């Protein structure tokens, strides 16, 4: 069983010029989060979807889900104070309905350009090896600040950027979240960071560069350009 947990519970402060949370910004009258949900809706290997949403926006999202006939959306649950808390809320919902060996595909609601092929490969590796995280090679030099103020420059050929989906067995990722709650740790930047902290090893696959997370106004422009380029590619056979 493969269940997508799409978290869209943030306010998007870096898109402060917009009048609504970033996941509900519209392109061609369709919210970004709907573009994201549609990816998992059309992939047959995904058995269901749980969406974590800002509580005040749940009625609006329910309306949009019905409007676009996204019948794989099983539940919409309220988000938490931080992204980590929102993901946990989604996982609790999955736990209430599915066994511990369920594979959960944790994905940002504002990452609407993931390729079907990438998600299918992620599911295949996760079910074979127990987990899988999508990564892309670092395209620029990484510099790391040390505790004493010195800077180090790791070999870029060994550096990757973690993206999504990040797939883990439900029992494993719930165990890590419960440890974090017990220790009052709420600042893990993403799930693979948490899993690594608690001793889990994870497997990776290479994703595509366009699988961006929409965080800034520039990302919105890139999203629109990529959508239009994909459509032109289909029309003109590019």
């Amino acid at each position: 069983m493969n269940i997508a947990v799409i978290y869209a519970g943030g306010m998007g402060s870096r898109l402060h010029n917009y009048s609504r949370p970033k996941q509900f910004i519209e392109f061609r009258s369709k919210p970004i989060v709907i573009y994201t949900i549609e990816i998992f809706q059309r992939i047959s290997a995904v058995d269901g979807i749980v969406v974590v949403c800002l509580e005040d926006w749940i009625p609006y999202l329910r309306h949009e889900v019905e409007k676009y006939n996204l019948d794989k959306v099983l539940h919409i649950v309220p988000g938490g104070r931080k992204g980590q808390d929102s993901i946990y809320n989604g996982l609790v919902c999955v736990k209430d309905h599915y066994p511990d060996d369920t594979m959960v595909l944790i994905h940002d609601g504002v990452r609407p350009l993931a390729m079907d092929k990438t998600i299918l490969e992620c599911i295949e590796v996760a079910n074979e090896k127990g987990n899988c995280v999508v990564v892309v090679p670092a395209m620029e030099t990484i510099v790391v600040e040390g505790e004493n103020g010195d800077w180090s420059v790791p070999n870029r050929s060994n550096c990757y950027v973690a993206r999504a989906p990040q797939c883990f067995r439900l029992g494993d990722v719930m165990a890590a979240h419960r440890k974090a709650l017990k220790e009052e740790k709420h600042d893990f930047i993403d799930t693979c960071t948490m899993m690594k902290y608690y001793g889990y090893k994870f497997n990776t696959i290479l994703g595509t560069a366009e699988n961006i997370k929409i965080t800034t106004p520039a990302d919105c422009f890139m999203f629109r350009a990529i959508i239009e380029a994909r459509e032109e590619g289909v029309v003109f056979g590019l």
Side-chain angles (χ1 to χ4, degrees):
M1 187 71 68
N2 305 303
I3 304 295
V5 175
I6 299 175
Y7 61 101
M11 288 299 296
S13 58
R14 280 170 285 186
L15 277 170
H16 53 79
N17 289 332
Y18 290 89
S19 60
R20 57 177 59 196
K22 59 185 177 181
Q23 58 270 34
F24 298 113
I25 293 171
E26 294 184 352
F27 175 59
R28 297 178 179 171
S29 301
K30 183 190 297 186
I32 287 172
V33 68
I34 295 298
Y35 283 92
T36 303
I37 296 170
E38 285 179 331
I39 300 170
F40 294 89
Q41 171 73 28
R42 68 175 175 253
I43 294 176
S44 60
V46 175
D47 300 295
I49 303 168
V50 171
V51 185
V52 186
C53 181
L54 287 167
E55 190 164 10
D56 290 346
W57 285 81
I58 288 177
Y60 170 80
L61 182 57
R62 283 200 179 112
H63 175 269
E64 294 298 298
V65 164
E66 292 176 3
K67 175 181 175 181
Y68 290 98
N69 299 312
L70 301 173
D71 56 8
K72 282 190 182 179
V73 176
L74 308 173
H75 304 279
I76 302 175
V77 299
R81 186 169 58 91
K82 294 189 175 183
Q84 177 185 327
D85 304 315
S86 292
I87 292 170
Y88 178 71
N89 289 355
L91 294 173
V92 169
C93 179
V94 178
K95 175 70 173 173
D96 287 342
H97 298 87
Y98 297 97
D100 281 348
D101 62 353
T102 299
M103 193 63 65
V104 287
L105 296 86
I106 300 168
H107 196 83
D108 310 272
V110 287
R111 203 180 284 277
L113 295 167
M115 301 294 287
D116 295 25
K117 179 181 178 181
T118 300
I119 295 172
L120 286 168
E121 185 179 356
C122 192
I123 291 172
E124 181 179 354
V125 171
N127 279 290
E128 178 184 346
K129 299 183 178 181
N131 59 58
C132 186
V133 175
V134 176
V135 301
V136 293
M139 301 303 292
E140 299 188 47
T141 299
I142 305 295
V143 294
V144 181
E145 184 178 10
E147 293 181 1
N148 59 1
D150 293 337
W151 294 85
S152 62
V153 183
N155 186 337
R156 191 175 75 187
S157 64
N158 297 328
C159 294
Y160 296 82
V161 178
R163 291 198 168 168
Q166 299 186 2
C167 304
F168 296 92
R169 293 206 184 279
L170 178 61
D172 292 341
V173 72
M174 284 295 290
H177 269 276
R178 286 168 179 154
K179 289 179 182 178
L181 285 172
K182 185 177 180 179
E183 297 172 9
E184 297 185 353
K185 295 181 180 294
H186 296 272
D187 295 316
F188 289 107
I189 192 67
D190 62 5
T191 306
C192 71
T193 303
M194 173 189 291
M195 298 299 281
K196 179 65 176 177
Y197 180 85
Y198 288 114
Y200 291 89
K201 295 181 179 180
F202 56 86
N203 308 285
T204 63
I205 61 165
L206 289 179
T208 56
E210 65 264 33
N211 183 18
I212 61 172
K213 181 179 179 181
I214 297 177
T215 305
T216 68
D219 297 329
C220 287
F221 298 138
M222 290 178 63
F223 165 63
R224 293 169 180 169
I226 291 169
I227 289 291
E228 290 172 354
R230 285 181 177 179
E231 291 175 350
E232 289 180 2
V234 170
V235 172
F236 297 107
L238 299 176

